[in-house]
Amino acid sequence: KNEVEQSPQNLTAQEGEFITINCSYSVGISALHWLQQHPGGGIVSLFMLSSGKKKHGRLIATINIQEKHSSLHITASHPRDSAVYICAVRYNNDMRFGAGTRLTVKP
Amino acid sequence: SAVISQKPSRDICQRGTSLTIQCQVDSQVTMMFWYRQQPGQSLTLIATANQGSEATYESGFVIDKFPISRPNLTFSTLTVSNMSPEDSSIYLCSVGEVDYGYTFGSGTRLTVV
């Protein structure tokens, strides 16, 4: 079993829809990261969370430390949000990555 | 947070040759990380590059295949040596900062033919 599990693997949405991507982890962590990877391969760090909730524009990330679970929400989704979203956790100075969720937003 | 310039962004290489990937950071950072992302897979840590000492390699990765240099606190290179088609992947460098989390380079998409 992977230490970081993401769901769904693939997600197709219509423009304007509310998107939720989930991440569950099985280890004690010091921080959780949500990353966005575009088709060219480059990765952008969206959020770093250790508790609670963060918001940046249309993106919202939440984490429940007790349940070892985090969610990434996208409100009013847009085709430019199409990317792979990766959940990563940091523990013992190591990073462990989820397999990613491929999001496609259709106009 | 730090800004990383990684190059080349992509390359197509002949098997048996080597490719060196460079990462330049706009500030001094203690630790730099090199990752590989094989097609359809998540990121796998290759090694941690420490300035002034040998890189620390993860299980399954060896220095002869992936030599790393870290001559100063703002620069590192990863070489993929004696390439085979199985080395076709995206390679990424990253730096970790306590306050800002992890910053990634733009990635190098390598195709070995």
Side-chain angles (χ1 to χ4, degrees):
Chain A
K1 186 181 188 301
N2 290 336
E3 291 154 324
V4 184
E5 297 274 0
Q6 280 185 243
S7 63
Q9 275 189 305
N10 295 284
L11 180 56
T12 300
Q14 288 298 131
E15 182 173 357
E17 283 185 4
F18 181 82
I19 305 282
T20 295
I21 300 170
N22 294 301
C23 175
S24 296
Y25 53 92
S26 58
V27 294
I29 68 171
S30 56
L32 182 143
H33 301 258
W34 281 102
L35 311 171
Q36 181 189 54
Q37 185 172 33
H38 285 282
I43 291 180
V44 174
S45 179
L46 299 174
F47 294 105
M48 180 177 69
L49 291 164
S50 54
S51 65
K53 175 180 172 178
K54 286 190 176 180
K55 185 176 189 293
H56 186 257
R58 295 180 295 107
L59 302 177
I60 303 166
T62 64
I63 188 168
N64 185 318
I65 297 293
Q66 287 73 31
E67 295 186 4
K68 292 186 166 63
H69 181 268
S70 176
S71 293
L72 176 68
H73 306 285
I74 305 175
T75 61
S77 59
H78 190 276
R80 65 174 175 266
D81 297 325
S82 298
V84 175
Y85 292 83
I86 301 170
C87 171
V89 299
R90 187 166 78 225
Y91 81 111
N92 295 339
N93 292 320
D94 285 342
M95 287 283 276
R96 295 288 184 263
F97 296 86
T101 295
R102 183 174 298 277
L103 171 65
T104 303
V105 182
K106 296 185 175 181
Chain B
S1 59
V3 175
I4 302 176
S5 173
Q6 181 174 345
K7 56 183 179 182
S9 58
R10 58 177 60 231
D11 207 342
I12 300 173
C13 299
Q14 297 290 324
R15 67 178 67 200
T17 63
S18 297
L19 175 71
T20 296
I21 302 167
Q22 300 180 1
C23 273
Q24 178 75 52
V25 190
D26 69 344
S27 58
Q28 292 185 337
V29 292
T30 305
M31 297 173 78
M32 293 181 71
F33 306 94
W34 287 97
Y35 292 91
R36 180 177 73 181
Q37 186 180 33
Q38 294 178 300
Q41 304 293 316
S42 190
L43 283 76
T44 300
L45 181 65
I46 297 171
T48 302
N50 307 303
Q51 193 267 334
S53 63
E54 273 198 7
T56 304
Y57 288 83
E58 297 298 303
S59 174
F61 298 96
V62 295
I63 188 171
D64 289 345
K65 177 67 175 177
F66 298 101
I68 287 171
S69 79
R70 184 84 200 273
N72 56 54
L73 291 174
T74 64
F75 186 78
S76 179
T77 67
L78 169 76
T79 298
V80 186
S81 302
N82 188 24
M83 289 184 285
S84 67
E86 292 71 34
D87 294 320
S88 298
S89 294
I90 296 172
Y91 293 85
L92 295 117
C93 64
S94 172
V95 301
E97 302 165 281
V98 171
D99 293 332
Y100 298 105
Y102 284 74
T103 302
F104 289 85
S106 53
T108 297
R109 187 179 290 273
L110 171 62
T111 303
V112 184
V113 297

